[in-house]
Amino acid sequence: MTSLKNDTFLRALLRQPVDYTPVWMMRQAGRYLPEYRETRARAGSFMQLCMNPELACEVTLQPLRRFPLDAAILFSDILTIPDAMGLGLSFAEGEGPRFERPLRDERSILKLAAPDPTDKLRYVLDAVSTIRRALDGTVPLIGFSGSPFTLACYMVEGRGSDDFRHLKAMLYSEPALLHRILEVNATAVTAYLNAQIEAGAQAVQIFDTWGGALTAAAFREFSLAYTERIIAGLKREHEGRRVPCIVFTKGGGQWLDAIAACGADAVGLDWTTELGAARRRIGDRVALQGNLDPNVLFGSPAAIRSEVARVLADFGPGDGHVFNLGHGISQHVDPDHAAILVDAVHSLSRRSA
Ligand code: CP3
C-alpha cells in the first residue's frame, strides 16, 4: 500500500488542520468534458461505461488530469443497486434513467431483496480497485451510494419526477410498503458501501438528492432514519485510517441539526444554505462540504473568483471545510471555468505561515 501524497481532503473531513481548503466537484467526471463524451461513445452507452472497470477508471481520472482536484470520485451511478435488484435500468440518449419494472404493487415489493455486492455489483468493486491502483496515492478516492429514500424515488416512479406522485401516494396511504423498500435499500447500501471500502474507497458519500422533497416529519421517518441505520453499519476504519462519511441532502438546510446527528463526519450543503450560519449551528460537530451555486460556473472568470471568495469568507477562518458545488456540475459548463474555480479555491484559501 502506498501512502497518500495529498490527504488534505481526508483531514478536512475530520476537521484537522490543513494548508488550504481542499476541493472536488460533484459530477466532476461527466459530459462537460469532451474526453468523457469520447470515452462514453467508445463504451457504447453510459451503463456499458459504468460496467467496464478500465473505462470507468479512465473517466474518473480525466478531470484530475485537467485540474489539481483534492479527491477522485468513483465513476458509477447511484442506480446500480436497483438495477442489481432486477428492476431493469436503462438510460436512453438525451433522457434520464428509466426502470422497466418499477415497484408499484405489494407482490413485487415483498420479493425485493438486497443484492450481494460481490456478485451482481462486482464491476463496481473492480472499478474501485482499478482506480485505486491508477491513482497511486496521489489523492484519495471517494466511493458513494444513493440514500435509501432517493433510490426508492426512482424505484417507485420508474424514472425521474417533479412531483413524485406514485412515491408520495405510497408514503401517505401504504407507508408499510415504502418502509419495506427502504429497509431492503438500507441493507443493500450498507453492504455496497462496505464492499467499496474493502475494495479501496477512502471516504464515502451518501447522496440524498430528493430528501428535501419531504415534510420535516417525513424526512426524519423515511429518509434520515435509514441513512442513520447505514452509517451505524459502516466500516469506519480501513488500511489503518478512518474512512470519513459525508451525507449530502439537497434541500436539507432546515434540518441541519438532525442531519448533523446522524453519525456522519461531514454534511454536504446545497447553495441555498448559508455556510457561515450552518457552521455556527453544527460546525463544531461535523465538517461541512459545499456550497457554490453550480450555475456560478456560467458566469465570467471574475465572477467565479468573487463567488469562490464569498463562499470561503462565509465559512470563515479555521478548519473543517471541503469546498464543493452545491449540486452537480452542468454538462453545459466550459471546462476552463472549472479550472478557474479550482485555482481560486486553492489560491484564496492558502493559510499564511
Ligand atoms: O460525481 C461523479 O463524477 C461520479 C459519477 C456520478 C454519476 N452519477 C455519473 C452520471 C455520481 C456520483 C452520480 C450520482 C447520481 N446519479 C445521483 C445523485 C447526485 C445528484 O446529481 O443528485 C442521481 C440522482 C443519479 C441518477 C442519474 N444518473 C440521473 C438522474 C441521470 C440523468 C440525468 C443527468 O443528470 O445526467 C444519471 C446519468 C449520469 N450519471 C450521467 C453521469 C456522468 C450522465 C449520463 C451520460 O453520460 O449520458
Side-chain angles (χ1 to χ4, degrees):
M1 189 200 50
T2 44
S3 65
L4 260 178
K5 295 172 193 105
N6 174 359
D7 64 354
T8 316
F9 166 72
L10 296 178
R11 296 179 59 81
L13 288 176
L14 300 175
R15 299 188 299 132
Q16 293 166 356
V18 288
D19 297 333
Y20 60 87
T21 303
V23 56
W24 68 283
M25 295 180 290
M26 289 193 270
R27 291 282 178 100
Q28 63 190 24
R31 287 168 294 186
Y32 72 109
L33 296 177
E35 60 270 35
Y36 168 82
R37 298 194 296 269
E38 195 270 318
T39 312
R40 188 188 56 186
R42 194 143 53 90
S45 70
F46 171 69
M47 278 312 285
Q48 281 172 292
L49 179 53
C50 292
M51 288 180 168
N52 182 322
E54 295 300 328
L55 294 182
C57 175
E58 166 59 24
V59 294
T60 299
L61 300 182
Q62 284 170 352
L64 291 127
R65 291 193 192 112
R66 280 185 181 250
F67 324 119
L69 294 156
D70 296 290
I73 179 162
L74 162 69
F75 188 83
S76 188
D77 199 82
I78 64 165
L79 301 178
T80 52
I81 286 185
D83 185 52
M85 288 170 168
L87 272 62
L89 175 64
S90 63
F91 284 88
E93 187 66 46
E95 287 175 56
R98 293 277 184 283
F99 284 110
E100 244 171 273
R101 293 172 286 280
L103 296 176
R104 296 281 170 78
D105 56 80
E106 186 167 1
R107 224 175 55 105
S108 54
I109 292 169
L110 293 180
K111 274 201 316 214
L112 196 70
D116 175 354
T118 64
D119 174 19
K120 292 243 170 53
L121 294 161
R122 184 83 249 166
Y123 66 94
V124 178
L125 307 180
D126 290 342
V128 171
S129 46
T130 305
I131 298 162
R132 262 304 290 278
R133 232 176 294 124
L135 282 171
D136 193 29
T138 46
V139 291
L141 175 62
I142 307 167
F144 71 90
S145 171
S147 72
F149 176 74
T150 290
L151 294 178
C153 288
Y154 290 97
M155 293 161 77
V156 173
E157 296 295 331
R159 57 197 296 166
S161 170
D162 46 26
D163 57 8
F164 302 104
R165 65 192 131 110
H166 295 101
L167 177 111
K168 289 214 168 164
M170 190 185 287
L171 186 155
Y172 289 114
S173 49
E174 300 202 83
L177 283 186
L178 182 55
H179 277 302
R180 154 87 193 154
I181 298 172
L182 295 168
E183 250 163 55
V184 176
N185 285 356
T187 305
V189 170
T190 308
Y192 184 52
L193 288 177
N194 280 333
Q196 290 184 31
I197 292 166
E198 294 280 349
Q202 291 148 298
V204 292
Q205 175 156 320
I206 299 172
F207 287 90
D208 190 17
T209 304
W210 301 119
L214 293 170
T215 64
F219 172 71
R220 287 191 297 271
E221 179 180 347
F222 295 93
S223 181
L224 193 59
Y226 291 93
T227 300
E228 270 168 15
R229 203 182 287 187
I230 292 165
I231 296 174
L234 284 186
K235 198 175 161 80
R236 299 302 277 276
E237 220 182 277
H238 191 61
E239 304 173 273
R241 255 193 115 120
R242 180 153 177 104
V243 181
C245 171
I246 309 159
V247 170
F248 170 68
T249 303
K250 187 160 169 282
Q254 298 192 70
W255 312 318
L256 288 181
D257 295 279
I259 297 170
C262 77
D265 299 279
V267 171
L269 304 172
D270 70 33
W271 64 93
T272 62
T273 298
E274 265 189 307
L275 196 51
R279 185 184 187 188
R280 288 188 290 279
R281 260 171 83 182
I282 62 166
D284 57 342
R285 284 174 270 160
V286 289
L288 299 176
Q289 178 177 276
N291 67 345
L292 188 80
D293 177 357
N295 292 323
V296 163
L297 291 170
F298 292 120
S300 65
I304 296 168
R305 282 193 203 92
S306 71
E307 290 300 318
V308 165
R310 188 202 298 273
V311 169
L312 290 170
D314 195 4
F315 184 85
D319 303 302
H321 181 207
V322 171
F323 200 101
N324 205 317
L325 303 173
H327 198 206
I329 188 169
S330 158
Q331 61 173 310
H332 305 294
V333 160
D334 176 348
D336 292 344
H337 283 199
I340 290 162
L341 176 148
V342 173
D343 176 69
V345 174
H346 284 162
S347 55
L348 298 173
S349 71
R350 189 159 288 279
R351 321 286 197 253
S352 41

